[in-house]
Amino acid sequence: MKNIPQIAALAALLAVTVVAEPLRFYIGTGPGNGIYLAELDAETGALSTPRLAAEVKNAGFLAIHPNRRFLYSTATGPAGSKQGGVAAFSIKPDGALEPINSRSSEGSGPCHVSIDATGRCLMVANYGSGGVASYRILEDGSLSEAVSIHQHEGSGAHAERQKGPHAHSIIPNPANTFAYVPDLGIDQVVAYRLDPAAATLEKAAATPVPGSAMGPRHMKWSADGQTAYVLNELDLSLSLFRPGKAPGQLEHVATVSALPEGAEKEGMTCAEIRIHPNGKFVYCSTRDTAKNGRDTLSLFGSSTHPGGFHRIATLPAEVSVPRNFNLDPGGRWMLVGGQQSKDIALFRIDPATGQATFTGTKIPVDGGPICLEFFQP
């Protein structure tokens, strides 16, 4: 029994409770004070009070670099210019953000930024002017001058919202070969051939979203790159596409309403879309711009769900104007940001069914949350 001391020591070591580090998340507040940082305890669901990480105007949408050292956001453009901007920050060990540099977004109303899988190219979509631009990300995280600039053309059937193009997001596919731009103003998803090394975008194809006044806004790809989900803001629906035969082209498979049959749609618009980490479920948020308390979250079975692509449930969002929401990397929690109510509501997710249950927890956010991005150092 000479090994008894060693066995006892090992048992004591195994008995020590390992406390998981809280999950950090950044909050973009658009016209508010800037970018905030808060923490979620993944075991208990406790949320910390948000603290200011960086002062920047119009940080409406955020993107974190694959190396976890840098963060990028939409921002106010150059002084005296009608153009918007994009800003680069370094992420400090305590989560604070230190400005690196900023560039013009080469258009008005920047609303979305994304980074290619290699971390060499930043892309921005300009809602106001209806175009996109790309930039090289340098070794120190700074942004080059714009490398590619593209302006969309056309209009749609909606008299107020589709008088011209409105590029609403720009999403690289999992293969990192194309970047896709849902354009709300022209009812198309425009594909650009992506060259990460050169940080260039070259127009390749444009896929119409079937229907009239659909208003494609955001989209998400399945992990295998075989399914794209496009959220239609004006039609309050979710469309499923597959890669087409031509490079960058998409093939429409089905469109499903985000709301139950017979639901009142007047004054309602869709906002954000997310896929559960297990790939079986898709979520979207719907905003009540008339402020009648009809803000909702909808749960769908994905293309890999046993029941196929379909809406499973719709439930209250528990905030006013849920412009953005996000799921933690483990797929157990959902943060829902209320742009109008200026708060964040916490939901617990059942990974087996996808169902979301409001926990009763809310935290206030100065300026109102517009983008929520989890960060794991």
Side-chain angles (χ1 to χ4, degrees), residues 129-130 151-157 161-166 183-188 203:
S129 54
Q151 176 63 45
H152 293 184
E153 303 291 341
S155 59
R161 300 291 306 278
Q162 295 185 316
K163 294 179 180 179
H166 294 299
D183 192 308
L184 180 146
I186 60 178
D187 279 340
Q188 294 180 7
K203 189 173 180 180

Side-chain angles (χ1 to χ4, degrees), residues 232-272:
N232 302 308
E233 176 176 337
L234 304 181
D235 186 59
L236 292 104
S237 64
L238 189 60
S239 294
L240 184 153
F241 291 86
R242 305 284 192 192
K245 296 179 180 179
Q249 195 75 33
L250 299 174
E251 283 188 7
H252 178 257
V253 177
T255 294
V256 176
S257 174
L259 297 177
E261 184 176 354
E264 176 58 49
K265 295 184 177 181
E266 185 66 29
M268 303 281 284
T269 59
C270 284
E272 186 57 278

Side-chain angles (χ1 to χ4, degrees), residues 33-55:
N33 297 328
I35 303 172
Y36 286 80
L37 175 67
E39 295 177 337
L40 165 67
D41 187 316
E43 294 301 319
T44 67
L47 289 172
S48 70
T49 300
R51 60 187 186 275
L52 190 64
E55 292 186 9

